[in-house]
Amino acid sequence: ALTDRLQGVFKDMRSKGRLAEEDIDEALREVRLALLEADVNFKVARDFIRRVKERATSLEVLESLTPAQQVLRIVDEELVATLGGEPGRIDWTGKTPAPVMLVGLNGAGKTTSAAKLALTLRKLGQRPLLVACDTYRPAAVAQLETLGRQIGAEVYEEGTHASPVDIARRSVEYGREHGYSINIIDTAGRLQIDERMMDELVQIKAAIQPTEVLLVANAMTGQEAVSVAQQFHEQVGLTGLILTQMDGDARGGAALSIRAVTGVPLKFLGMGEKIEALQAYYPDRLASRILG
Amino acid sequence: FQARRELDAAFWDELEERLIQADLGAHTTADLVDTLRETHDKRRFDSPEQAEAALRQEMMRLLGGGTVGLNLPLPLAVILVVGVNGVGKTTSIAKLAKFLAQSGRKPLLVAGDTFRAAAIDQLKVWGERVAVPVVAQGPGSDPSAVVFDGIKAARARGADVLIVDTAGRLHTKINLMEELKKVQRIVQRQIPDAPHETLLVLDAVTGQNALVQAKSFTQAVGVTGLVLAKLDSSSKGGVVFSIAQELSLPIKFVGTGERVDDFAPFDAGEFAGALFA
Ligand SMILES: Nc1nc2c(ncn2[C@@H]2O[C@H](COP(=O)(O)OP(=O)(O)OP(=O)(O)O)[C@@H](O)[C@H]2O)c(=O)[nH]1
Ligand SMILES: Nc1nc2c(ncn2[C@@H]2O[C@H](COP(=O)(O)OP(=O)(O)OP(=O)(O)O)[C@@H](O)[C@H]2O)c(=O)[nH]1
Ligand SMILES: [Mg+2]
Ligand SMILES: [Mg+2]
């Protein structure tokens, strides 16, 4: 664990008395290594270490009898501060029904998360409508319908021959007519480098003016988490992030990368395959998981 | 990288950055860069291009070791496809079925994911698209029972390769890994050396956790080969180098898109070259 590695760095300090900047550098190399092992983006890790170094080379740390603990405390505080302390919530103010769009790479967990959100929002007193805008993936509409049935939530769908933009637009009307308070729009998985598919998202957004656009990303995403999030944010505009498969053992460094580079707040964590498995996130817990 | 005129400190720094950003991981990157620096000390590369060529050679050596084809003996070969959630198993199975059919085999698909919503429907749609029959039971049925049916159907219909789709499962879920072992045992009981191939599908977008996945699945069911899906994404899939170093698992195929023809046998040279593109 990182704690042990930092203790190892400082174990000879007793004989040296006060620490020097090189000792701190060595400790920060261990921290950087831990971040990279956790899939934190290379540049994000480098910038993070620079920020931490300023605080970690203060007299308070250099003269401390427990420098490992001091460095760890500073790293942890910086991590929590960067991740952001706002608990996850959906903005449904301003229009009825409030459209919430889910976007992201293929297989990230959008369709499952759509159903999870519907269940969570219903428990909070909202009336969610699931909207099937993935007309590409085989049986995608059937998947959302099956999940909707499991939680007793209606699914607005038009099969696979209408355009996702039209389905989204008509779902707003449908939601309003049937008294829904939130429309959860499930979209097809797509690469952020696929211009035509990214343009489809821009068109859907223009058609329904969503109150939330949530990027759904897998916790085990590697270095490209930054490019993915940046492209989705720049082209479509993101209001939040859902990190899925946090029930696994991926360290989840992608969360730090995405947050540090785009400023998009982490809203929810996918904690399993079951529809109940959606949790609000705690920055301090995520921080210690990333550090390992 | 190509802009560097000499192998100075900046060259080595940029190389490290490049490899880490390709998901090779800090340790594997350090190993490869150290080896390259040792070579440079001994025989002096004249240019960054030469160093890059040597690195590409080393990468190809690491990845190119395993047998390229699949071991699919007659009369009936069984391929078990496994992996964590959402990596591309079902889609890769459809692609593999068409690939095998085009090379003269008679595949049959088994809808072994009886858990996830519309998983059976998804494989059935793919089966129709590639004109390959699918054996299935209802949702919630026992995957081992469906596999058992699949073997019976294959023998009855003269199919010579059975591809078994399984539900995505995190390697950390002991009960789900046990379920997978049970499926494998059912297959072994019916056909002595089966499954002849157990392919682990990895999502190229995955970071260092892919190594953990490869280790866990290998330990549980003995993986014989990898399928690297979603290589059309902006990710480079560099984690396969640590998998090659630690487990020597051959990469059999790559998935390069969502269409059925976006699939090809793995080419180490092409893969290593793409890292430097
Ligand atoms: N263990 C675990 N599995 C999850 C989680 N969220 C989703 N999954 C699983 O991940 C797989 C992919 O989920 P989907 O909801 O189909 O993903 P998607 O983003 O809609 O996929 P595409 O529409 O093809 O882009 C399924 O097997 C889900 O059950 C999670 O939090 N934990
Ligand atoms: N871009 C791209 N997408 C792919 C590729 N392979 C699969 N996909 C997409 O990834 C998503 C998930 O694919 P699936 O085949 O359902 O993955 P899976 O592993 O069977 O998922 P679960 O059964 O839920 O665990 C779908 O949207 C596929 O179209 C690929 O090579 N490239
Ligand atoms: Mg989906
Ligand atoms: Mg599947």
Side-chain angles (χ1 to χ4, degrees):
Chain A
L2 182 60
T3 327
D4 307 319
R5 282 148 71 163
L6 289 183
Q7 302 281 6
V9 168
F10 293 123
K11 69 182 188 308
D12 308 321
M13 59 157 276
R14 286 272 163 73
S15 50
K16 294 201 270 172
R18 184 175 128 177
L19 296 174
E21 190 174 310
E22 297 86 64
D23 302 311
I24 300 296
D25 277 341
E26 193 181 340
L28 292 183
R29 267 197 294 279
E30 288 297 333
V31 175
R32 178 176 167 267
L33 199 58
L35 294 177
L36 292 176
E37 285 169 357
D39 293 322
V40 173
N41 179 270
F42 184 92
K43 294 200 168 90
V44 170
R46 188 183 51 197
D47 295 342
F48 182 84
I49 295 297
R50 270 194 203 128
R51 281 205 309 281
V52 168
K53 174 162 175 168
E54 276 183 47
R55 289 184 58 191
T57 42
S58 67
L59 224 55
E60 161 192 29
V61 179
L62 295 176
E63 298 189 339
S64 163
L65 290 175
T66 56
Q69 281 180 27
Q70 294 296 329
V71 172
L72 209 48
R73 179 182 56 81
I74 293 170
V75 169
D76 198 70
E77 285 174 7
E78 279 296 318
L79 209 40
V80 170
T82 310
L83 288 170
E86 287 298 309
R89 57 179 300 275
I90 297 292
D91 178 13
W92 54 66
T93 56
K95 37 166 56 176
T96 302
V100 173
M101 254 172 95
L102 295 187
V103 303
L105 297 180
N106 305 79
K110 297 175 291 301
T111 306
T112 312
S113 300
K116 289 180 178 181
L117 267 182
L119 184 62
T120 300
L121 291 168
R122 217 177 49 209
K123 288 184 184 161
L124 296 173
Q126 296 296 318
R127 289 175 307 285
L129 173 69
L130 289 166
V131 181
C133 282
D134 180 354
T135 57
Y136 306 93
R137 169 173 154 157
V141 176
Q143 183 184 6
L144 193 61
E145 284 190 311
T146 304
L147 292 172
R149 253 195 316 276
Q150 285 176 12
I151 57 170
E154 181 172 1
V155 174
Y156 179 82
E157 55 89 10
E158 296 185 20
T160 60
H161 297 298
S163 95
V165 183
D166 292 335
I167 298 172
R169 183 180 306 119
R170 290 192 280 259
S171 77
V172 174
E173 192 54 33
Y174 185 89
R176 194 166 25 237
E177 282 171 8
H178 291 78
Y180 289 105
S181 62
I182 301 190
N183 277 8
I184 302 173
I185 321 270
D186 181 25
T187 66
R190 71 204 64 217
L191 301 179
Q192 85 280 10
I193 51 177
D194 186 333
E195 289 187 20
R196 197 176 55 84
M197 288 300 276
M198 290 305 285
D199 188 60
E200 176 186 278
L201 285 185
V202 173
Q203 289 182 43
I204 294 177
K205 183 180 181 189
I208 65 175
Q209 312 269 344
T211 49
E212 292 271 6
V213 180
L214 305 176
L215 177 68
V216 180
N218 195 323
M220 59 185 71
T221 307
Q223 294 284 311
E224 283 298 299
V226 166
S227 323
V228 173
Q230 260 178 329
Q231 278 303 312
F232 273 92
H233 192 42
E234 281 171 28
Q235 295 195 42
V236 192
L238 302 173
T239 60
L241 171 71
I242 297 180
L243 206 61
T244 62
Q245 300 198 28
M246 282 294 281
D247 45 317
D249 57 3
R251 300 257 292 268
L256 178 65
S257 306
I258 293 173
R259 171 69 173 164
V261 172
T262 65
V264 175
L266 183 43
K267 298 228 173 187
F268 297 102
L269 302 177
M271 275 298 190
E273 297 192 65
K274 302 216 169 70
I275 303 188
E276 298 77 21
L278 189 72
Q279 280 181 20
Y281 107 104
Y282 296 93
D284 48 353
R285 274 193 215 160
L286 183 54
S288 48
R289 173 175 179 147
I290 290 175
L291 289 176
Chain B
F1 194 93
Q2 296 289 349
R4 287 268 147 238
R5 303 198 133 272
E6 48 178 275
L7 290 103
D8 53 7
F11 168 84
W12 297 109
D13 282 347
E14 280 181 22
L15 179 58
E16 182 203 34
E17 177 169 345
R18 184 83 165 229
L19 296 180
I20 290 181
Q21 287 182 333
D23 283 318
L24 268 81
H27 296 282
T28 302
T29 296
D31 287 347
L32 285 173
V33 172
D34 286 347
T35 306
L36 198 65
R37 292 190 84 141
E38 279 174 26
T39 312
H40 180 53
D41 287 340
K42 288 205 211 89
R43 67 163 211 224
R44 288 279 131 194
F45 296 119
D46 299 320
S47 65
E49 287 75 19
Q50 246 194 25
E52 178 187 317
L55 181 57
R56 243 205 326 274
Q57 283 297 326
E58 176 60 9
M59 286 176 157
M60 282 176 60
R61 191 193 64 79
L62 266 176
L63 295 180
T67 44
V68 143
L70 292 178
N71 166 40
L72 303 176
L74 294 168
L76 179 60
V78 180
I79 304 174
L80 185 64
V81 178
V82 303
V84 303
N85 306 72
V87 293
K89 298 177 291 301
T90 306
T91 310
S92 300
I93 285 170
K95 295 171 176 179
L96 179 60
K98 179 169 179 191
F99 179 85
L100 290 174
Q102 281 176 337
S103 64
R105 303 296 298 243
K106 279 199 64 198
L108 181 78
L109 306 182
V110 174
D113 180 355
T114 56
F115 168 75
R116 204 211 69 210
I120 297 170
D121 299 316
Q122 184 186 8
L123 191 67
K124 281 184 175 170
V125 172
W126 271 119
E128 285 175 24
R129 284 188 190 179
V130 298
V132 172
V134 177
V135 168
Q137 288 181 12
S141 50
D142 178 0
S144 298
V146 189
V147 173
F148 187 84
D149 269 4
I151 293 173
K152 280 207 351 252
R155 285 177 171 149
R157 309 170 67 136
D160 63 15
V161 57
L162 199 68
I163 312 177
V164 181
D165 191 12
T166 62
R169 69 202 66 222
L170 291 181
H171 49 281
T172 47
K173 313 239 157 137
I174 315 272
N175 57 329
L176 297 182
M177 296 305 278
E178 285 303 316
E179 173 189 87
L180 199 55
K181 288 183 194 173
K182 179 174 169 213
V183 168
Q184 203 178 44
R185 278 198 301 276
I186 298 293
V187 171
Q188 277 165 353
R189 218 170 286 162
Q190 294 300 310
I191 303 175
D193 300 321
H196 304 90
E197 292 280 356
T198 297
L199 301 180
L200 173 66
V201 181
L202 296 174
D203 185 335
V205 169
T206 306
Q208 299 310 300
N209 195 257
L211 176 59
V212 185
Q213 292 170 27
K215 283 182 180 168
S216 308
F217 275 91
T218 297
Q219 195 177 46
V221 289
V223 172
T224 59
L226 304 173
V227 174
L228 193 57
K230 307 182 199 171
L231 212 50
D232 49 318
S233 68
S234 60
S235 297
K236 308 282 187 170
V239 64
V240 296
F241 289 103
S242 16
I243 296 178
Q245 273 184 336
E246 299 202 28
L247 302 172
S248 312
L249 287 177
I251 304 170
K252 299 290 188 179
F253 295 97
V254 294
T256 56
E258 296 194 70
R259 294 166 321 183
V260 75
D261 295 319
D262 296 328
F263 192 68
F266 179 68
D267 181 322
E270 209 173 305
F271 184 82
L275 281 180
F276 294 97

